[in-house]
C-alpha cells in the first residue's frame, strides 16, 4: 500500500495526522494514493430526562416546525453550527447535519441554552451520544468493482438494482458503498476515528488484492 505521506486536517484528526489551522471545513486532503475524506454528516442523540411541552417551544420559537398530526417531534434549526435538531416530548433529542462530533455536541448544548433563555425549564444538562458518522471518500483510483464483489468477503453487488458494491466490515462495524469511479461512502461508524480506521482497512484490502488502479 502506498504510504500516507502528507495530511492537512482541520478541527479534529485521528492519531498520526497533523492539524492545520488555516482550513475551516471538515476536509482531509492527502497526497499520492491516499484517500480524500470528507465528514458529511454526524448524527447524535441526547436526553435530558424530563418531559417537554412542544407547544410551548413552538410558541416561544415561532420558526420551529411542530405539526403533531404529521410528525411527533418539533424541528428546531440552528444556524451555527448549521444543524437540524428534532425535539420530542419525552425529552429525547436527535441532531443531524453536523460536520463533526464536536459540532453535534455544540449544537445540542446551544439548543438547551436557547430553550433556557426563553424560560423553558431544563433541569439537567443533555447526555449526548454519537450514533453515526457518515463520510464521503475519493480513493483517487478506479475500483475493479466486479472483481471486488468476488474477492471481498461480506459484499453484495447487484448492478441491476444499485450501481455500487455494498461491503460490511466487522471491526469497526461499518457499511461501505464502493463505486467503480473510486468514490466510496462509509456509514455506521460511532466516531470519526472509527470511520478513518474503516477507510484505511478497505483501502488496504483493495490494494493488497489489486482491486484498485491508479492509471
Amino acid at each position: 500500500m502506498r504510504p500516507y505521506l502528507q495530511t492537512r486536517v482541520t478541527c479534529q484528526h485521528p492519531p498520526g495526522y497533523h492539524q492545520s489551522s488555516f482550513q475551516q471545513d471538515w476536509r482531509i486532503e492527502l497526497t499520492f494514493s491516499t484517500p480524500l475524506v470528507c465528514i458529511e454528516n454526524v448524527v447524535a442523540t441526547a436526553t435530558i430526562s424530563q418531559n417537554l411541552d412542544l407547544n410551548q417551544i413552538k410558541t416561544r420559537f415561532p420558526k420551529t416546525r411542530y405539526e403533531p398530526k404529521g410528525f411527533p417531534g418539533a424541528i428546531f434549526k440552528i444556524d451555527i453550527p448549521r444543524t437540524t435538531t428534532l425535539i420530542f416530548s419525552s425529552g429525547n433529542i436527535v441532531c443531524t447535519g453536523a460536520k463533526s462530533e464536536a459540532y453535534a455536541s455544540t449544537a445540542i448544548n446551544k439548543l438547551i441554552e436557547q430553550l433556557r433563555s426563553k424560560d423553558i425549564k431544563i433541569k439537567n444538562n443533555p447526555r449526548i451520544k454519537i450514533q453515526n458518522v457518515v463520510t464521503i471518500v475519493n480513493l483517487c483510483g478506479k475500483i475493479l468493482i466486479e472483481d471486488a464483489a468476488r474477492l471481498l468477503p461480506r459484499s453484495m453487488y447487484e448492478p441491476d438494482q444499485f450501481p455500487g458494491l455494498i461491503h460490511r466490515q466487522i471491526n469497526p462495524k461499518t457499511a461501505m458503498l464502493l463505486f467503480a469511479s473510486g468514490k466510496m461512502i462509509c456509514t455506521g461508524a460511532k466516531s470519526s476515528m472509527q470511520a478513518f480506521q474503516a477507510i484505511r482497512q478497505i483501502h488496504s484490502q483493495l490494494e493488497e488484492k489489486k482491486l484498485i488502479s491508479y492509471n
Side-chain angles (χ1 to χ4, degrees), residues 125-142:
N125 291 326
R127 298 197 302 275
I128 301 170
K129 184 176 181 180
I130 302 299
Q131 299 291 348
N132 190 12
V133 176
V134 180
T135 54
I136 295 178
V137 186
N138 184 348
L139 294 176
C140 304
K142 302 295 183 182

Side-chain angles (χ1 to χ4, degrees), residues 94-187:
V94 179
C95 175
T96 66
K99 300 299 183 182
S100 74
E101 298 108 301
Y103 285 170
S105 295
T106 297
I108 292 172
N109 284 314
K110 193 169 184 179
L111 166 69
I112 299 302
E113 290 175 7
Q114 291 190 28
L115 294 178
R116 286 170 171 163
S117 73
K118 297 292 186 178
D119 294 325
I120 296 173
K121 296 186 183 300
I122 307 293
K123 301 174 184 177
N124 305 306
N125 291 326
R127 298 197 302 275
I128 301 170
K129 184 176 181 180
I130 302 299
Q131 299 291 348
N132 190 12
V133 176
V134 180
T135 54
I136 295 178
V137 186
N138 184 348
L139 294 176
C140 304
K142 302 295 183 182
I143 298 174
L144 305 178
I145 204 76
E146 292 183 358
D147 291 342
R150 180 169 49 86
L151 295 175
L152 291 178
R154 300 177 303 280
S155 294
M156 182 173 65
Y157 180 54
E158 297 180 359
D160 293 338
Q161 305 273 336
F162 180 70
L165 181 151
I166 302 172
H167 172 71
R168 299 188 183 279
Q169 295 193 170
I170 296 175
N171 185 23
K173 188 176 181 180
T174 51
M176 324 287 282
L177 304 180
L178 284 71
F179 300 91
S181 64
K183 301 292 175 59
M184 184 172 71
I185 297 172
C186 174
T187 185

Side-chain angles (χ1 to χ4, degrees), residues 3-212:
Y4 289 68
L5 292 181
Q6 181 180 351
T7 321
R8 288 190 294 163
V9 186
T10 60
C11 303
Q12 180 181 2
H13 50 288
Y17 281 29
H18 302 287
Q19 187 169 11
S20 172
S21 60
F22 58 84
Q23 284 184 291
Q24 297 301 319
D25 64 340
W26 278 83
R27 188 172 294 276
I28 301 172
E29 297 186 49
L30 308 169
T31 60
F32 288 84
S33 65
T34 312
L36 179 72
V37 183
C38 180
I39 295 179
E40 184 66 17
N41 183 27
V42 175
V43 179
T45 58
T47 182
I48 55 173
S49 301
Q50 70 176 75
N51 293 331
L52 292 171
D53 185 340
L54 300 186
N55 286 309
Q56 182 187 50
I57 292 174
K58 170 64 177 174
T59 299
R60 299 187 185 182
F61 295 90
K63 292 184 179 180
T64 299
R65 289 181 56 190
Y66 178 49
E67 300 173 358
K69 291 183 179 180
F71 181 71
I75 302 173
F76 193 109
K77 292 185 179 291
I78 293 176
D79 292 332
I80 301 176
R82 187 176 293 277
T83 51
T84 299
T85 52
L86 309 178
I87 311 169
F88 298 92
S89 59
S90 62
N92 292 329
I93 298 166
V94 179
C95 175
T96 66
K99 300 299 183 182
S100 74
E101 298 108 301
Y103 285 170
S105 295
T106 297
I108 292 172
N109 284 314
K110 193 169 184 179
L111 166 69
I112 299 302
E113 290 175 7
Q114 291 190 28
L115 294 178
R116 286 170 171 163
S117 73
K118 297 292 186 178
D119 294 325
I120 296 173
K121 296 186 183 300
I122 307 293
K123 301 174 184 177
N124 305 306
N125 291 326
R127 298 197 302 275
I128 301 170
K129 184 176 181 180
I130 302 299
Q131 299 291 348
N132 190 12
V133 176
V134 180
T135 54
I136 295 178
V137 186
N138 184 348
L139 294 176
C140 304
K142 302 295 183 182
I143 298 174
L144 305 178
I145 204 76
E146 292 183 358
D147 291 342
R150 180 169 49 86
L151 295 175
L152 291 178
R154 300 177 303 280
S155 294
M156 182 173 65
Y157 180 54
E158 297 180 359
D160 293 338
Q161 305 273 336
F162 180 70
L165 181 151
I166 302 172
H167 172 71
R168 299 188 183 279
Q169 295 193 170
I170 296 175
N171 185 23
K173 188 176 181 180
T174 51
M176 324 287 282
L177 304 180
L178 284 71
F179 300 91
S181 64
K183 301 292 175 59
M184 184 172 71
I185 297 172
C186 174
T187 185
K190 300 298 184 182
S191 68
S192 57
M193 283 198 185
Q194 280 193 4
F196 293 133
Q197 181 183 353
I199 292 163
R200 283 178 171 147
Q201 284 181 5
I202 190 63
H203 192 201
S204 295
Q205 287 180 287
L206 291 172
E207 290 199 330
E208 288 168 2
K209 297 177 183 294
K210 302 187 185 306
L211 297 173
I212 188 167

